[in-house]
Amino acid sequence: IAKMSKFKLALVQLAVCADKTSNIVRACQKVREAVSHGAEVVVLPECFNCPYGTKYFPEYAEAIPGETTKALAETAKECHAYLVGGSIPERDGNKLYNTCTVFDRSGQMVSKYRKTHLFDIDIPGKITFKESEVLTPGDELATFETEWCTVGLGICFDMRFPALAAAYARRGCKLLCYPGAFNMTTGPLHWELLLRGRALDNQLYAAAISVARDEKSSYVAWGHSTVVDPWAKVIAKADESETIIYSDIDLSEVEAVRSQIPTKPVEKVF
């Protein structure tokens, strides 16, 4: 059966506070708002149910299924939309993961991705952060099917790794979603560049979904949630404040780029 080629994507750039329950309620309200504006796939940001930081992960972590994913499942079902649940700190036994869950139109969890490349950086005088102090990396790709295309998942620091995006492209993905939260050092430099690079390399759509900026937070996020098309053109972009951005995804553009600039058929593997 030929798949349909067009759908509306929404990225929810959520303002996150220290109250987990209110974050969950607010996220679900924003999902409903996005769907009321025609979105059929809605994506939340990384760490949308709690402040971002190694000291917060153990305190806010929960099992999957749990409080947060139950609310996401109910909202996806109520809205009859696909919901990419950004990421939350997941507790599994004695390990913690940074995990993205996805729900289909019936509220079923259809995919779960654990962040593969943990955010460990040290830029003297600017920022030092080590997710690996408390988190365990995932080791599997995760995709989900829609009536339009296969979608691949990454989280934040994963954007820096071309091999992950290429592996998704080989599996037939035409859209990559990266819930993330770059900071005020790497955000201005690399956020859009990396996303455009992944879209360009693989001739597909790529979306990066940030939390809104909070200057008072211990981790100040860059924001600027963005959608890039297969030509590597930015087609939707937020500023730093809480907002929802929308993008019309047209998969015939993927086919157009791949037929007009056919890189994959001639690519040499060295």
Side-chain angles (χ1 to χ4, degrees), residues 34 63 68 77 97 108 123 150 167 187 201 239 241 250 258 260:
T68 305
K77 184 178 181 179
Y97 300 91
Q108 291 293 310
I123 302 174
T150 306
D201 295 341
D239 58 11
S241 57
D250 182 354
R258 290 177 180 182
Q260 291 170 41

Side-chain angles (χ1 to χ4, degrees), residues 14-27 47-52 56 59-60 62 67-68 214:
L14 192 74
V16 173
C17 69
D19 185 311
K20 185 178 183 178
T21 303
S22 76
N23 289 329
I24 296 167
V25 168
R26 189 169 185 79
C47 224
F48 74 88
N49 70 349
C50 72
Y52 182 78
Y56 300 112
E59 180 188 341
Y60 287 81
E62 62 182 75
E67 176 191 1
T68 305
D214 176 3

Side-chain angles (χ1 to χ4, degrees), residues 245-260:
I245 61 167
Y246 300 88
S247 191
D248 291 312
I249 303 299
D250 182 354
L251 297 165
S252 66
E253 289 294 321
V254 175
E255 305 317 320
V257 174
R258 290 177 180 182
S259 63
Q260 291 170 41

Side-chain angles (χ1 to χ4, degrees), residues 166 169-170 200-203 258 261-268:
R170 285 195 299 275
L200 179 69
D201 295 341
N202 299 292
Q203 300 174 311
R258 290 177 180 182
I261 310 174
T263 53
K264 292 301 174 197
V266 298
E267 185 171 16
K268 304 266 190 300

Side-chain angles (χ1 to χ4, degrees), residues 63 90-97 114:
E90 176 198 6
R91 188 182 301 283
D92 185 0
N94 60 358
K95 290 184 175 176
L96 299 179
Y97 300 91
R114 289 168 165 170

Side-chain angles (χ1 to χ4, degrees), residues 68-196:
T68 305
T69 54
K70 185 169 178 284
L72 296 180
E74 288 168 358
T75 304
K77 184 178 181 179
E78 174 199 328
C79 293
H80 193 62
Y82 292 92
L83 176 51
V84 180
S87 83
I88 64 170
E90 176 198 6
R91 188 182 301 283
D92 185 0
N94 60 358
K95 290 184 175 176
L96 299 179
Y97 300 91
N98 188 341
T99 303
C100 176
T101 52
V102 182
F103 302 86
D104 69 10
R105 294 181 186 274
S106 68
Q108 291 293 310
M109 189 167 87
V110 290
S111 195
K112 182 169 104 168
Y113 173 76
R114 289 168 165 170
K115 188 174 189 175
T116 308
H117 302 97
L118 296 182
F119 178 51
D120 286 11
I121 68 166
D122 184 8
I123 302 174
K126 297 274 181 74
I127 182 168
T128 299
F129 199 100
K130 291 199 163 44
E131 272 189 329
S132 63
E133 288 172 351
V134 296
L135 298 181
T136 298
D139 56 8
E140 291 182 348
L141 299 182
T143 63
F144 67 99
E145 296 297 329
T146 68
E147 51 267 50
W148 310 283
C149 66
T150 306
V151 182
L153 302 169
I155 298 173
C156 202
F157 205 58
D158 286 328
M159 286 167 67
R160 292 188 178 277
F161 299 87
L164 181 72
Y168 280 131
R170 285 195 299 275
R171 283 162 173 75
C173 294
K174 293 180 181 176
L175 167 65
L176 302 181
C177 290
Y178 292 98
F182 273 33
N183 55 72
M184 299 298 291
T185 301
T186 60
L189 287 169
H190 298 152
W191 172 258
E192 184 183 300
L193 177 64
L194 286 167
L195 195 66
R196 292 183 70 192

